[in-house]
Amino acid sequence: GSHDTMTYCLDKSSAVSGNESKLVKFLSKCLPCIVHPIIMKWSITQVLTVTEQLEAGVRYLDFRIAHKANDPSMNLYFVHMVYTTVTVQAILWEILRWLETHPQEVVIIACRNFDGLTKRLHNHLVACIKEVFQCKLCPRNVLPTLRTMWHLGHQVIVSYEEAVELGKHCELWPPIPYWWGNKTSTRALIRYLERMKRMGRPETFFVAGINLTENLRYILVHPFGSLKKMTLQSLPCLKIWIKQQYPGPRKKCINIIAGDFIGNNDFVKDVIELNTKI
């Protein structure tokens, strides 16, 4: 999986998301030449496009969806502090084109965040999802083994973190739990993930996030740092942790593993190779 999948195309000229703190929005407005570059350095989590991620082996896409404040159109974008240059609908079509050339591949799309979405915009988004993927969408009453999905022609599982829409559409799956450590150090993140494992895996899909998270103190202490530098420093230790994991139904087993900058340090290869332990 890729954490914050769409941050490779954040718009450098975009306003800060309405979901951010008043302080961040104020500083970005008053000191844009200083604050905006800092925001960009700590917002970008991926450099590969969505097609390149799929080609690399990613099968879980983390979509944080938003509607820009004061935008009269129905256009929806992705967001991580700032908005993306591309629309959600354009990316859905891009995924479809890839799936059509890879008929035995299955992709899980987690639709989350929903910054600024009204009931009308939720209806619009779900309609777009159904229009694009049609019979490729796997209904939630199907037990999604690969054999079953190949037989039925399903290639897409969409989880949707909005209860009202979930209740209206059998094509939408419940939210997928994401183990987010919210840690600045690799050791603290691994301790968090091990603690979650001891509590026992959920019965359904879930994600172990190996992504570190900056805070204001960390940024001030590392004025020339970036999320990419922070991530690359952590990968050797996290690589060891990944190789020690086991997939499957047992209590301490792992399901989906998602990270930042997934094209680096054999992350995808290491995760996929865990399947040989089954």
Side-chain angles (χ1 to χ4, degrees):
S2 59
H3 168 250
D4 263 308
T5 301
M6 294 304 303
T7 56
Y8 64 86
C9 63
L10 294 179
D11 186 352
K12 293 178 182 178
S13 62
S14 169
V16 172
S17 161
N19 216 24
E20 296 304 321
S21 69
K22 291 181 180 179
L23 176 61
V24 171
K25 286 187 284 186
F26 174 76
L27 291 173
S28 179
K29 191 173 182 179
C30 296
L31 301 166
C33 295
I34 298 172
V35 176
H36 218 71
I38 295 173
I39 288 174
M40 294 299 292
K41 285 199 306 179
W42 295 98
S43 296
I44 295 173
T45 66
Q46 307 295 340
V47 293
L48 301 183
T49 69
V50 72
T51 297
E52 289 169 339
Q53 291 180 38
L54 292 168
E55 286 289 336
V58 166
R59 295 294 178 267
Y60 166 89
L61 304 173
D62 176 21
F63 283 177
R64 316 293 178 92
I65 297 172
H67 182 257
K68 293 181 181 179
N70 304 317
D71 183 354
S73 76
M74 299 282 283
N75 290 336
L76 297 174
Y77 296 86
F78 304 94
V79 67
H80 190 216
M81 294 194 76
V82 296
Y83 303 102
T84 57
T85 55
V86 298
T87 64
V88 172
Q89 195 166 14
I91 293 301
L92 295 179
W93 285 110
E94 184 177 340
I95 294 168
L96 176 67
R97 288 192 293 272
W98 188 85
L99 288 171
E100 287 176 337
T101 59
H102 299 79
Q104 286 197 306
E105 296 298 330
V106 173
V107 174
I108 299 173
I109 301 174
C111 296
R112 312 169 64 197
N113 201 86
F114 300 130
D115 180 7
L117 265 68
T118 60
K119 182 179 179 181
R120 180 165 169 253
L121 287 167
H122 274 293
N123 290 337
H124 173 64
L125 174 57
V126 175
C128 287
I129 291 170
K130 293 167 82 168
E131 176 194 4
V132 172
F133 296 120
Q134 298 185 29
C135 62
K136 290 186 182 298
L137 285 171
C138 179
R140 64 176 176 268
N141 63 345
V142 172
L143 182 64
T145 66
L146 286 175
R147 191 186 302 277
T148 299
M149 295 187 74
W150 288 339
H151 176 70
L152 297 174
H154 300 322
Q155 287 184 268
V156 184
I157 291 172
V158 175
S159 80
Y160 205 88
E161 291 194 358
E162 211 286 321
V164 174
E165 295 302 319
L166 192 62
K168 293 191 295 186
H169 303 278
C170 67
E171 298 88 349
L172 302 179
W173 287 63
I176 295 176
Y178 194 107
W179 290 357
W180 176 51
N182 192 20
K183 306 295 184 185
T184 59
S185 83
T186 312
R187 288 183 179 181
L189 175 60
I190 290 173
R191 283 197 299 269
Y192 163 79
L193 293 171
E194 287 298 317
R195 185 169 68 252
M196 295 300 289
K197 282 171 56 183
R198 287 194 296 273
M199 292 169 62
R201 61 153 293 166
E203 292 184 4
T204 55
F205 295 117
F206 73 100
V207 183
I210 64 160
N211 48 290
L212 293 175
T213 306
E214 81 290 348
N215 54 34
L216 182 57
R217 182 177 179 277
Y218 188 93
I219 293 172
L220 292 174
V221 173
H222 302 82
F224 301 106
S226 67
L227 190 56
K228 187 170 186 177
K229 288 181 182 178
M230 186 184 191
T231 299
L232 296 185
Q233 290 169 359
S234 72
L235 285 179
C237 287
L238 289 169
K239 182 183 179 76
I240 295 169
W241 182 84
I242 290 170
K243 285 176 172 289
Q244 294 170 342
Q245 304 314 303
Y246 286 83
R250 297 192 304 275
K251 179 180 177 180
K252 292 186 179 181
C253 285
I254 288 295
N255 185 218
I256 300 165
I257 301 178
D260 292 334
F261 302 101
I262 57 89
N264 290 279
N265 206 25
D266 294 329
F267 164 70
V268 176
K269 176 174 168 287
D270 291 341
V271 174
I272 293 173
E273 283 184 351
L274 293 179
N275 289 306
T276 62
K277 296 181 179 182
I278 296 177

